[in-house]
Amino acid sequence: SKKGPYKYSRHPQYVGYISMLIGLIIYTHTLQVLIISILAILWYILATYTEEPWLEKNYNYKAYKKQTPRFL
């Protein structure tokens, strides 16, 4: 069974990046950071949809996918 952050999220690194970007948006409070951060957040969300089919094909990912949420 999975341990650490992968027990709670299939993509904990993306959860960390997205959380950091949300914090950056709040901290800087600028339009430029808002736009760039939203684009980056979308990138991380879309990345999971491209990675997971590959993971299913090459690893025993389907069982893990059923047990663990994508983000939280």
Side-chain angles (χ1 to χ4, degrees), residues 14 17-18 21 34-50 71:
Y14 293 164
Y17 295 147
I18 290 169
L21 289 167
L34 176 67
I35 292 168
I36 293 169
S37 295
I38 288 173
L39 291 173
I41 289 168
L42 289 173
W43 177 267
Y44 289 125
I45 291 170
L46 292 174
T48 65
Y49 291 97
T50 60
F71 291 110

Side-chain angles (χ1 to χ4, degrees), residues 19-39:
S19 299
M20 179 199 64
L21 289 167
I22 291 169
L24 188 64
I25 291 168
I26 293 167
Y27 180 74
T28 60
H29 204 317
T30 65
L31 182 60
Q32 293 89 349
V33 170
L34 176 67
I35 292 168
I36 293 169
S37 295
I38 288 173
L39 291 173

Side-chain angles (χ1 to χ4, degrees), residues 7 10-11 21-22 40-44 53 56 59-60 63 68:
K7 182 177 179 179
R10 294 193 311 256
H11 303 280
L21 289 167
I22 291 169
I41 289 168
L42 289 173
W43 177 267
Y44 289 125
E56 285 180 12
Y59 297 97
N60 184 19
T68 311

